[in-house]
Amino acid sequence: MAATPSASKCFLVTGPPGVGKTTLITRVFEALRASHPQITIQGFYTREVREGSDRVGFEVVTLDGMRGPLASSKISSTESLRWPTVGKYKVDVESFESLALPQMQVKGGTNLFIIDEVGKMELYSSSFFPAVLRILDSNVPFLASIPIPKFGRDIPGVARLRNHPGATIFTLDPGNRDAMKDRIYSQIVGLLQN
Protein backbone atom coordinates (compact mmCIF):
# COMPACT_ATOMS: atom_id res chain seq x y z
CA MET A 1 0.00 0.00 0.00
CA ALA A 2 1.50 3.34 -1.03
CA ALA A 3 1.69 6.13 1.49
CA THR A 4 -0.02 9.39 0.69
CA PRO A 5 2.31 12.37 0.19
CA SER A 6 1.27 14.05 3.43
CA ALA A 7 1.42 10.86 5.48
CA SER A 8 5.16 10.42 5.16
CA LYS A 9 5.77 13.91 6.56
CA CYS A 10 4.49 13.19 10.08
CA PHE A 11 7.24 12.00 12.45
CA LEU A 12 6.22 11.09 16.01
CA VAL A 13 8.69 10.37 18.81
CA THR A 14 7.40 8.38 21.77
CA GLY A 15 8.74 6.49 24.76
CA PRO A 16 8.53 6.38 28.53
CA PRO A 17 8.93 9.56 30.61
CA GLY A 18 12.56 10.56 31.01
CA VAL A 19 13.86 8.52 28.06
CA GLY A 20 15.02 11.62 26.20
CA LYS A 21 12.26 12.64 23.77
CA THR A 22 12.83 16.37 24.29
CA THR A 23 16.60 15.96 24.14
CA LEU A 24 16.30 14.05 20.86
CA ILE A 25 14.00 16.67 19.34
CA THR A 26 16.24 19.57 20.37
CA ARG A 27 19.28 17.74 18.94
CA VAL A 28 17.49 17.20 15.62
CA PHE A 29 16.56 20.90 15.61
CA GLU A 30 20.15 21.98 16.39
CA ALA A 31 21.57 19.66 13.72
CA LEU A 32 19.13 21.01 11.11
CA ARG A 33 19.94 24.62 12.07
CA ALA A 34 23.67 23.92 11.74
CA SER A 35 23.48 22.04 8.42
CA HIS A 36 20.62 23.99 6.78
CA PRO A 37 20.60 27.54 8.23
CA GLN A 38 18.38 28.75 5.39
CA ILE A 39 15.35 26.62 6.36
CA THR A 40 12.50 28.04 8.42
CA ILE A 41 11.53 25.91 11.42
CA GLN A 42 8.61 26.88 13.66
CA GLY A 43 7.55 25.37 16.93
CA PHE A 44 8.41 24.85 20.57
CA TYR A 45 9.62 22.35 23.11
CA THR A 46 8.84 21.90 26.78
CA ARG A 47 11.56 21.79 29.39
CA GLU A 48 11.59 20.72 33.01
CA VAL A 49 12.00 23.40 35.66
CA ARG A 50 14.05 22.13 38.58
CA GLU A 51 14.95 23.38 42.03
CA GLY A 52 17.94 21.27 43.01
CA SER A 53 17.02 17.69 42.23
CA ASP A 54 13.25 18.34 42.41
CA ARG A 55 11.16 18.93 39.31
CA VAL A 56 8.79 21.79 40.16
CA GLY A 57 7.29 22.47 36.75
CA PHE A 58 7.66 22.81 33.02
CA GLU A 59 8.24 25.74 30.72
CA VAL A 60 7.54 26.32 27.04
CA VAL A 61 10.55 27.35 24.94
CA THR A 62 9.89 28.54 21.40
CA LEU A 63 12.42 27.72 18.70
CA ASP A 64 13.17 31.43 18.37
CA GLY A 65 14.08 31.67 22.08
CA MET A 66 11.01 32.95 23.95
CA ARG A 67 10.03 31.12 27.11
CA GLY A 68 7.30 31.05 29.70
CA PRO A 69 5.57 28.79 32.22
CA LEU A 70 3.54 25.74 31.19
CA ALA A 71 2.92 24.12 34.56
CA SER A 72 4.08 24.42 38.14
CA SER A 73 3.72 22.64 41.45
CA LYS A 74 4.76 25.83 43.28
CA ILE A 75 2.16 28.36 42.11
CA SER A 76 -0.75 29.00 44.47
CA SER A 77 -2.40 32.22 43.41
CA THR A 78 -6.12 32.98 43.32
CA GLU A 79 -5.96 32.73 39.53
CA SER A 80 -4.17 29.34 39.58
CA LEU A 81 -7.03 27.80 41.59
CA ARG A 82 -9.02 27.68 38.34
CA TRP A 83 -6.20 26.11 36.31
CA PRO A 84 -6.43 22.45 35.27
CA THR A 85 -4.24 19.98 37.13
CA VAL A 86 -2.05 17.14 35.82
CA GLY A 87 -0.66 15.18 38.75
CA LYS A 88 0.81 17.74 41.15
CA TYR A 89 1.14 20.43 38.46
CA LYS A 90 -1.19 23.35 37.74
CA VAL A 91 -1.28 24.06 33.99
CA ASP A 92 -1.04 27.72 32.94
CA VAL A 93 -3.05 27.38 29.72
CA GLU A 94 -2.99 31.13 28.99
CA SER A 95 0.82 31.31 29.17
CA PHE A 96 1.14 28.18 27.03
CA GLU A 97 -1.23 29.51 24.37
CA SER A 98 0.46 32.91 24.23
CA LEU A 99 3.78 31.27 23.35
CA ALA A 100 2.90 28.06 21.50
CA LEU A 101 -0.03 29.03 19.28
CA PRO A 102 1.78 31.79 17.32
CA GLN A 103 4.51 29.23 16.56
CA MET A 104 1.91 26.89 15.09
CA GLN A 105 0.55 29.26 12.46
CA VAL A 106 0.73 27.72 8.99
CA LYS A 107 2.22 30.29 6.63
CA GLY A 108 4.23 30.30 3.44
CA GLY A 109 7.93 29.69 3.75
CA THR A 110 7.81 27.32 6.73
CA ASN A 111 9.85 24.19 5.99
CA LEU A 112 9.27 22.24 9.22
CA PHE A 113 7.17 22.30 12.40
CA ILE A 114 8.53 20.90 15.67
CA ILE A 115 6.06 20.37 18.53
CA ASP A 116 7.32 18.90 21.81
CA GLU A 117 4.99 17.75 23.09
CA VAL A 118 1.43 16.82 22.20
CA GLY A 119 0.45 15.67 25.67
CA LYS A 120 -2.12 16.01 28.43
CA MET A 121 -0.98 19.44 29.65
CA GLU A 122 -0.91 20.97 26.16
CA LEU A 123 -4.27 19.46 25.26
CA TYR A 124 -5.96 21.49 28.01
CA SER A 125 -5.79 24.31 25.46
CA SER A 126 -8.90 24.04 23.30
CA SER A 127 -7.02 25.78 20.46
CA PHE A 128 -3.94 23.55 20.53
CA PHE A 129 -5.13 20.34 18.85
CA PRO A 130 -6.98 22.14 16.03
CA ALA A 131 -3.66 23.94 15.35
CA VAL A 132 -1.88 20.55 15.26
CA LEU A 133 -4.45 19.29 12.74
CA ARG A 134 -3.95 22.38 10.55
CA ILE A 135 -0.23 21.65 10.50
CA LEU A 136 -0.90 18.04 9.48
CA ASP A 137 -3.25 19.20 6.73
CA SER A 138 -0.68 21.75 5.47
CA ASN A 139 1.65 19.06 4.11
CA VAL A 140 4.62 20.80 5.84
CA PRO A 141 6.87 18.20 7.53
CA PHE A 142 5.99 17.79 11.20
CA LEU A 143 8.13 16.38 14.04
CA ALA A 144 6.39 15.93 17.38
CA SER A 145 6.73 13.98 20.59
CA ILE A 146 3.82 12.09 22.12
CA PRO A 147 3.50 10.22 25.42
CA ILE A 148 3.12 6.46 25.55
CA PRO A 149 -0.34 5.21 26.60
CA LYS A 150 -0.71 4.87 30.37
CA PHE A 151 -2.28 1.66 31.62
CA GLY A 152 -3.17 0.80 28.01
CA ARG A 153 -5.24 3.98 27.59
CA ASP A 154 -4.24 6.68 25.13
CA ILE A 155 -5.25 10.34 25.28
CA PRO A 156 -7.81 10.79 22.43
CA GLY A 157 -5.88 13.55 20.61
CA VAL A 158 -2.65 11.58 20.93
CA ALA A 159 -4.35 8.42 19.66
CA ARG A 160 -5.60 10.37 16.65
CA LEU A 161 -2.04 11.46 15.84
CA ARG A 162 -0.62 8.00 16.48
CA ASN A 163 -3.20 6.55 14.07
CA HIS A 164 -2.71 9.24 11.40
CA PRO A 165 -2.38 7.43 8.06
CA GLY A 166 1.27 6.77 7.39
CA ALA A 167 2.62 8.55 10.48
CA THR A 168 6.12 7.32 11.21
CA ILE A 169 6.50 6.49 14.90
CA PHE A 170 9.91 6.30 16.56
CA THR A 171 9.87 4.58 19.96
CA LEU A 172 12.85 5.62 22.07
CA ASP A 173 14.66 3.58 24.64
CA PRO A 174 18.01 4.26 26.33
CA GLY A 175 19.83 2.06 23.82
CA ASN A 176 18.55 3.58 20.57
CA ARG A 177 18.44 7.34 21.19
CA ASP A 178 21.48 8.30 19.11
CA ALA A 179 20.54 6.04 16.20
CA MET A 180 16.97 7.42 16.24
CA LYS A 181 18.25 11.01 16.18
CA ASP A 182 20.36 10.25 13.10
CA ARG A 183 17.50 8.40 11.41
CA ILE A 184 14.96 11.19 12.01
CA TYR A 185 17.47 13.86 10.94
CA SER A 186 18.23 11.97 7.70
CA GLN A 187 14.56 11.48 6.85
CA ILE A 188 13.74 15.16 7.43
CA VAL A 189 16.76 16.31 5.38
CA GLY A 190 15.59 13.96 2.59
CA LEU A 191 12.16 15.61 2.62
CA LEU A 192 13.58 19.13 2.67
CA GLN A 193 15.78 18.40 -0.34
CA ASN A 194 12.88 17.16 -2.49
Side-chain angles (χ1 to χ4, degrees):
M1 183 174 168
T4 61
S6 62
S8 60
K9 294 184 177 186
C10 176
F11 303 98
L12 303 174
V13 177
T14 192
V19 77
K21 296 182 293 289
T22 297
T23 300
L24 178 140
I25 283 184
T26 56
R27 286 185 179 159
V28 169
F29 169 66
E30 289 163 1
L32 287 167
R33 272 286 150 104
S35 64
H36 296 78
Q38 76 284 3
I39 66 171
T40 302
I41 306 173
Q42 289 179 216
F44 67 90
Y45 61 94
T46 55
R47 198 174 74 164
E48 291 182 350
V49 175
R50 293 194 166 268
E51 288 182 358
S53 62
D54 296 329
R55 184 173 65 193
V56 295
F58 298 90
E59 68 177 353
V60 179
V61 182
T62 65
L63 298 183
D64 58 6
M66 296 187 301
R67 62 184 61 218
L70 167 61
S72 176
S73 62
K74 306 281 277 183
I75 293 178
S76 62
S77 65
T78 307
E79 184 180 302
S80 72
L81 294 174
R82 295 187 304 274
W83 294 353
T85 304
V86 175
K88 66 179 182 178
Y89 302 102
K90 293 277 196 182
V91 181
D92 187 342
V93 175
E94 188 176 322
S95 170
F96 169 72
E97 289 181 339
S98 72
L99 288 163
L101 294 179
Q103 296 294 317
M104 299 173 70
Q105 298 302 309
V106 176
K107 53 191 173 197
T110 301
N111 303 105
L112 174 68
F113 283 97
I114 294 179
I115 307 297
D116 170 51
E117 116 174 287
V118 179
K120 194 169 187 177
M121 289 182 185
E122 295 81 4
L123 288 167
Y124 272 114
S125 162
S126 61
S127 303
F128 175 67
F129 197 67
V132 169
L133 294 178
R134 282 191 295 278
I135 290 170
L136 282 175
D137 291 343
S138 75
N139 208 29
V140 173
F142 175 65
L143 171 61
S145 67
I146 56 174
I148 58 171
K150 278 192 179 170
F151 311 112
R153 293 196 327 251
D154 216 345
I155 301 165
V158 173
R160 189 165 170 190
L161 270 186
R162 190 185 307 279
N163 296 319
H164 188 267
T168 304
I169 298 173
F170 300 90
T171 303
L172 292 190
D173 63 50
N176 71 4
R177 288 181 295 209
D178 292 337
M180 287 292 189
K181 179 233 166 216
D182 295 340
R183 194 167 148 208
I184 293 167
Y185 170 82
S186 297
Q187 288 189 25
I188 290 172
V189 167
L191 280 176
L192 295 174
Q193 291 174 341
N194 288 336

